[in-house]
Amino acid sequence: QVQLVESGGGLVQPGGSLRLSCAASEFTLDYYPIGWFRQAPGKEREGVSCITSSGGSTYYADSVKGRFPISRDNAKNTIYLQMDSLKPEDTAVYYCAVTRWRTISLMCTDPRYWGQGTQVTVSS
């Protein structure tokens, strides 16, 4: 069974920062693209960002472009989402998942092996 674990969420004020981590044990992630997704209460789950296995290519949703750089440290078997300039509309549960990278459209599809998620709340 593939198990991913998200961490790093919390309560922050608008304009603040958080760094989310996605890790796996007994499973090597360095061969797979990884995506970050989020879901607010009563809303559809949406893609936020993703990164290729080598880290050479990335995708960002327009809503977070320039604010949420994604990175990975394959030696630590961990993927990161640095969230800066947080806004109230960023409030959601954030998930990571194994994805596929599309070389033509330059984005990730087919998320699978979801983690449990970590809550991010942006409020004054």
Side-chain angles (χ1 to χ4, degrees):
Q1 181 181 355
V2 177
Q3 291 185 311
L4 302 180
V5 179
E6 302 93 341
S7 63
L11 173 64
V12 297
Q13 294 182 253
S17 298
L18 288 171
R19 188 177 74 162
L20 305 186
S21 298
C22 173
S25 60
E26 305 299 326
F27 183 81
T28 301
L29 298 177
D30 58 342
Y31 293 104
Y32 304 97
I34 302 295
W36 284 98
F37 303 80
R38 67 185 181 186
Q39 186 169 27
K43 302 294 193 299
E44 294 288 325
R45 186 172 296 182
E46 63 177 343
V48 175
S49 182
C50 64
I51 187 168
T52 56
S53 59
S54 67
S57 296
T58 56
Y59 163 83
Y60 298 97
D62 288 342
S63 60
V64 306
K65 191 174 297 182
R67 296 192 298 126
F68 289 6
I70 188 172
S71 63
R72 66 191 302 161
D73 186 342
N74 287 341
K76 296 182 178 180
N77 209 26
T78 303
I79 293 82
Y80 304 99
L81 184 69
Q82 178 66 45
M83 302 189 296
D84 297 322
S85 302
L86 283 162
K87 305 174 181 179
E89 52 263 44
D90 295 320
T91 296
V93 177
Y94 284 72
Y95 303 87
C96 62
V98 176
T99 66
R100 298 182 187 273
W101 175 258
R102 301 299 188 182
T103 57
I104 295 177
S105 57
L106 302 179
M107 65 174 64
C108 293
T109 63
D110 304 319
R112 59 197 187 278
Y113 307 128
W114 298 95
Q116 292 295 305
T118 185
Q119 177 72 49
V120 172
T121 302
V122 184
S123 177
S124 59

